[in-house]
């Protein structure tokens, strides 16, 4: 039995460096819960983007999208793509939910549609990419029924095409657990919430990006296994 394949060929794709172009897409969708938290969110996002820019590997591999939503609007403040600077659209036009319920299903639908569009763009341009991750930060007050949320997430969960990772102070939130790819909710710490969580996300992205086998499945596993950081 031959150990080496002497008929192996090096293709133009091998020489093109396409494997070094692998992208790591991450989508952050965050509820504007209160005026104070929105200010904190703006500061944390700036630090998050600066951290990616300062890491040579992440700067050349991470594709990030950021959207912030209230009860009526889902504002894309940074479209999916590389991080070239730490600026993003102002959050001033949003009206914090302040404990009011919101319809999460349309927001989740929008996020999944944008992820699907990004994957089509990768495929059209022959760019390899890791499994996308959607981190959904919310206070957990919804007007949706379980069926409405499950209908939106059903195909994605069945195909395991995106890792949906809800983040909430209520770790046992039943609706969020039902749409989580891991069946768990990452618990948001009360103090310095965004800063701490974004730092852990960036650190995990940095570690994963150094492995040629890294995918966002591993990112999801890391976040869940490192749940102590979110308590």
């Amino acid at each position: 039995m031959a150990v080496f394949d002497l008929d192996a060929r090096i293709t133009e794709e091998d020489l093109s460096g396409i494997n070094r172009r692998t992208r790591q897409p991450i989508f952050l969708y965050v509820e504007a819960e209160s005026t104070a938290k929105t200010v904190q969110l703006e500061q944390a996002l700036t630090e998050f983007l600066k951290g990616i820019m300062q890491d040579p590997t992440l700067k050349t591999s991470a594709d990030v999208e950021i959207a912030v939503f209230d009860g009526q609007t889902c504002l894309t403040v940074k479209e999916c793509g590389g991080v070239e600077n730490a600026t993003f659209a102002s959050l001033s036009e949003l009206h914090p939910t302040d404990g009011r319920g919101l319809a999460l299903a349309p927001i989740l639908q929008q996020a999944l549609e944008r992820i699907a569009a990004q994957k089509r763009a990768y495929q059209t341009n022959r760019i390899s990419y890791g499994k996308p991750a959607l981190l959904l930060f919310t206070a957990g007050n919804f007007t949706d029924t379980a069926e409405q949320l499950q209908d939106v997430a059903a195909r994605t969960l069945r195909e395991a095409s995106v890792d949906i990772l809800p983040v909430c102070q209520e770790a046992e939130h039943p609706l969020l657990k039902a749409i989580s790819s891991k069946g768990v909710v990452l618990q948001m710490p009360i103090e310095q919430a965004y800063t701490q969580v974004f730092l852990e996300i960036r650190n995990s992205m940095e570690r994963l990006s150094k492995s040629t086998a890294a995918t966002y499945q591993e990112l999801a596993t890391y976040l869940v296994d490192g749940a102590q950081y979110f308590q």
Side-chain angles (χ1 to χ4, degrees):
M1 180 177 181
V3 177
F4 301 104
D5 181 5
L6 299 181
D7 291 328
R9 295 287 185 270
I10 297 176
T11 66
E12 288 185 3
E13 182 173 293
D14 294 325
L15 298 175
S16 70
I18 190 171
N19 291 332
R20 293 191 296 275
R21 295 170 58 203
T22 299
R23 308 304 297 170
Q24 298 183 351
I26 184 166
F27 289 70
L28 302 178
Y29 275 59
V30 188
E31 179 181 340
E33 296 183 34
S34 66
T35 300
K37 280 202 168 187
T38 301
V39 171
Q40 182 192 74
L41 173 62
E42 289 183 318
Q43 296 170 343
L45 286 175
T46 298
E47 292 303 312
F48 176 66
L49 294 175
K50 284 181 178 178
I52 292 176
M53 288 175 57
Q54 291 166 1
D55 183 291
T57 305
L58 290 182
K59 184 171 171 50
T60 58
S61 64
D63 281 341
V64 178
E65 173 156 309
I66 302 170
V68 184
F69 56 90
D70 56 21
Q72 299 179 335
T73 304
C74 185
L75 178 65
T76 302
V77 299
K78 182 192 179 304
E79 293 189 352
C80 189
V83 179
E84 301 297 331
N85 54 62
T87 61
F88 47 87
S90 172
L91 307 184
S92 59
E93 67 181 78
L94 294 169
H95 299 87
T97 51
D98 290 320
R100 297 186 300 274
L102 59 83
L104 185 64
I107 295 162
L108 180 59
Q109 181 71 45
Q110 175 177 320
L112 294 176
E113 287 176 354
R114 289 188 63 82
I115 292 172
Q118 185 64 31
K119 291 168 73 173
R120 288 194 296 271
Y122 286 143
Q123 292 160 6
T124 298
N125 293 286
R126 300 178 67 243
I127 297 174
S128 56
Y129 59 94
K131 186 177 182 181
L134 168 62
L135 282 95
L136 188 64
F137 295 74
T138 175
N141 300 316
F142 308 131
T143 58
D144 312 87
T145 65
E147 290 75 17
Q148 288 172 320
L149 284 174
Q150 288 169 349
D151 284 347
V152 173
R155 179 174 179 178
T156 298
L157 295 177
R158 182 173 64 252
E159 297 177 351
S161 55
V162 177
D163 278 322
I164 304 175
L165 302 171
V167 185
C168 182
Q169 288 186 10
E170 187 180 343
E172 296 301 320
H173 197 296
L175 294 184
L176 292 176
K177 290 180 74 172
I179 62 171
S180 170
S181 297
K182 296 294 182 180
V184 298
V185 177
L186 304 183
Q187 189 172 15
M188 172 80 86
I190 296 176
E191 297 298 329
Q192 297 181 334
Y194 297 124
T195 301
Q196 179 65 35
V197 174
F198 291 166
L199 177 61
E200 289 304 321
I201 292 170
R202 181 169 60 80
N203 287 346
S204 65
M205 290 169 65
E206 182 179 3
R207 284 189 288 272
L208 290 173
S209 66
K210 294 176 181 177
S211 167
T212 56
T215 66
Y216 269 93
Q217 180 65 42
E218 291 170 309
L219 170 60
T221 301
Y222 168 79
L223 288 173
V224 172
D225 289 346
Q228 69 270 18
Y229 293 112
F230 301 92
Q231 296 177 353

